Amino acid sequence: MTTRVLTGITPSGTPHLGNYVGAIRPAIAASRAQGIESFFFLADLHSLIKAQEPARTQRSTLEIAASWLACGLDPEQVWFYRQSDIPETNALMWFLTVVASKGILNRAHAYKAAIDKNEAEGLDPDAGVSAGLFMYPVLMAADILIFKANRVPVGRDQIQHIEMARDFGQRFNHVYGKEYFPLPEVVIDEQVATLAGLDGRKMSKSYSNTIPLFAPREELKKLVFSILTDSRAPGEPKDTEGSALFQMYQAFATPEQTAGFARAFAEGIGWGDAKKQLFERIDAELSPLRERYEALMAEPEKIEALLRRRGQQLREQYAVPLLKELRHAVGLRDLADVPKAAAAERARSAPPVFKQYREKDGRFYFKLTDGEGTLLVQSAGFDSPRDAGQLIAVLKQAEQGDALQSELFTLEAEVEAVLAALATLRDAG
């Protein structure tokens, strides 16, 4: 079976080396595995929550698209598209919104953090909090469920959002009586590399300690030579443990090259020489990528055409057929089909029923069927109708699977279906 893996990419400025090592490079490598259908989307709708700057949004989307393509993402072998080019996602978001629990959304980490910050500053809890921030998890769930993704690689801070997507999908399935959505599984890669920045802290735009992924060669050299090191002189042994410089070299080198660099540290290589080796190692990998990136950025119309084409293909193959099915499921149907729809609704809403009867052998039996007449439970024979009725009364109270284990009857359906029918009978009674 093919496993669908979905990765969202928020357009938020130019990527840096940390993004490349920790996200871009491993994701592209994983997309080439057998049995994997990969979906990579530019989350431009999500980006609007944090930045309402049209020119910046446009530029960031272009830069991020060009970056992934330059790094080797093959748009003909994976689905590479722009979130806003799939309008069915927005329709699905509303279908999920009407079944999503507000209580769950109240507990979303980003929303809670904003509330806590306001309260700590003595402000109204919802001051400056947009509905977009509050509804972010529902849009993310729609992104995932629209293409029935099986696995979603995320950082630990996003686990809660995948759990919410599962909850919303499961709730929709339950309300409308069919498994429309598989429940996505979160993927946490414990081996993802985290690069240290120029000052030794984690490389992050928040710390202003990043090295742009496609910085020109001379700028790259200048930034590498500005990496913070200690005061040990040439000839003094140097520690690889905790060294941002060594860690960065390791992220771009083979095991053999890394071992050689470690020996040089132990033998007292000078920091200037070490930085020169690091610069040459990084530039050797990035130089061809930089050339492809610059060529892509020079022809934005080609990226635009690519995204529109793949988005349209994706809509036709998956999104439009699914939304047609979901519109029918929720009742947004052709009004000319009212009699047919009403009959189907009556059949769907008919309750389960226990039926007692006597066979030619003179013994008394009962069976449980669902609203459509499908057999769920079949009893053995009893000497009197009273004995059969007593067992029916006991069965109606069953809430766990172990209560359905008996030689006096057999299950003709899954345990979950039988328990659900019994619950419906109790609620109706």
Side-chain angles (χ1 to χ4, degrees):
M1 292 180 61
T2 299
T3 299
R4 295 184 183 178
V5 181
L6 181 138
T7 301
I9 310 159
T10 302
S12 57
T14 306
H16 53 71
L17 294 191
N19 301 140
Y20 173 70
V21 169
I24 299 175
R25 189 171 63 183
I28 292 174
S31 74
R32 296 169 179 153
Q34 291 294 318
I36 298 295
E37 185 177 15
S38 295
F39 296 73
F40 291 88
F41 71 95
L42 299 163
D44 52 350
L45 295 179
H46 285 301
S47 73
L48 300 180
I49 295 172
K50 293 183 178 180
Q52 291 88 45
E53 302 174 49
R56 176 183 173 186
T57 297
Q58 179 189 34
R59 180 70 182 182
S60 293
T61 304
L62 174 62
E63 289 180 349
I64 297 299
S67 297
W68 281 76
L69 293 170
C71 290
L73 188 69
D74 186 344
E76 304 306 325
Q77 298 302 315
V78 305
W79 293 108
F80 186 50
Y81 59 101
R82 184 168 40 198
Q83 183 186 31
S84 60
D85 284 339
I86 313 294
E88 290 76 18
T89 302
N90 303 79
L92 176 55
M93 179 187 177
W94 183 249
F95 292 167
L96 298 177
T97 296
V98 298
V99 300
S101 164
K102 181 176 180 291
I104 290 178
L105 294 174
N106 286 340
R107 296 190 289 274
H109 295 325
Y111 176 66
K112 279 181 58 64
I115 296 298
D116 292 344
K117 182 176 182 294
N118 283 337
E119 291 178 340
E121 296 175 358
L123 301 173
D124 181 272
D126 285 316
V129 178
S130 71
L133 175 64
F134 186 73
M135 295 299 295
Y136 175 97
V138 188
L139 178 55
M140 183 169 175
D143 292 325
I144 296 167
L145 299 176
I146 188 74
F147 299 122
K148 300 185 178 183
N150 305 113
R151 303 172 65 195
V152 186
V154 294
R156 292 196 172 277
D157 61 331
Q158 293 287 317
I159 292 176
Q160 184 193 46
H161 288 144
I162 309 306
E163 293 172 345
M164 288 182 174
R166 289 173 58 87
D167 182 273
F168 303 153
Q170 189 170 41
R171 178 65 179 163
F172 187 96
N173 290 345
H174 174 73
V175 169
Y176 293 106
K178 181 181 174 181
E179 295 299 308
Y180 292 99
F181 303 113
L183 303 186
E185 298 291 340
V186 66
V187 178
I188 301 293
D189 189 348
E190 302 291 356
Q191 305 303 315
V192 167
T194 301
L195 281 193
L198 301 176
D199 58 2
R201 293 181 294 176
K202 176 185 175 181
M203 188 175 290
S204 169
K205 295 184 183 77
S206 301
Y207 298 144
S208 300
N209 66 351
T210 63
I211 299 178
L213 178 55
F214 298 114
R217 178 179 167 87
E218 287 307 311
E219 181 184 346
L220 174 63
K221 183 175 182 179
K222 181 179 178 181
L223 289 169
V224 168
F225 272 77
S226 70
I227 294 174
L228 186 67
T229 52
D230 59 36
S231 59
R232 277 177 282 191
E236 292 184 69
K238 296 169 179 62
D239 296 326
T240 58
E241 186 70 29
S243 168
L245 194 151
F246 182 82
Q247 181 201 52
M248 197 174 295
Y249 185 94
Q250 187 175 29
F252 287 87
T254 65
E256 294 76 15
Q257 291 168 332
T258 300
F261 202 51
R263 285 194 298 272
F265 265 54
E267 293 167 0
I269 187 174
W271 288 126
D273 288 340
K275 290 177 179 179
K276 184 176 184 301
Q277 289 188 33
L278 171 61
F279 162 69
E280 295 295 349
R281 178 89 297 281
I282 295 175
D283 191 59
E285 181 167 334
L286 297 187
S287 182
L289 309 187
R290 188 188 303 125
E291 290 181 16
R292 287 203 293 270
Y293 175 78
E294 291 171 352
L296 287 162
M297 288 296 291
E299 297 183 303
E301 66 279 3
K302 290 188 177 181
I303 296 178
E304 176 67 21
L306 166 66
L307 293 174
R308 285 187 178 275
R309 176 173 61 83
R310 291 301 273 165
Q312 185 60 31
Q313 291 171 340
L314 192 52
R315 290 184 65 207
E316 292 172 358
Q317 185 165 333
Y318 292 126
V320 171
L322 176 63
L323 258 293
K324 181 179 179 181
E325 180 184 17
L326 297 183
R327 283 178 61 87
H328 186 272
V330 302
L332 305 182
R333 302 170 179 170
D334 185 336
L335 300 184
D337 290 338
V338 168
K340 186 188 301 182
E345 185 63 25
R346 284 195 300 273
R348 190 176 75 84
S349 61
V353 61
F354 275 104
K355 298 179 181 179
Q356 288 184 257
Y357 56 96
R358 190 175 187 179
E359 285 286 12
K360 293 180 180 180
D361 61 3
R363 295 171 67 79
F364 297 88
Y365 296 80
F366 69 79
K367 59 185 176 181
L368 172 64
T369 61
D370 64 16
E372 297 179 353
T374 302
L375 182 62
L376 303 177
V377 176
Q378 175 63 60
S379 78
F382 295 88
D383 293 331
S384 72
R386 181 170 178 271
D387 292 339
Q390 287 178 338
L391 183 54
I392 289 174
V394 172
L395 261 179
K396 285 183 177 179
Q397 304 308 312
E399 297 183 9
Q400 302 292 333
D402 54 8
L404 300 179
Q405 299 177 7
S406 173
E407 296 180 354
L408 299 177
F409 58 83
T410 57
L411 300 186
E412 302 294 338
E414 296 292 332
V415 171
E416 291 77 8
V418 176
L419 291 174
L422 295 173
T424 300
L425 287 174
R426 286 196 299 274
D427 292 343

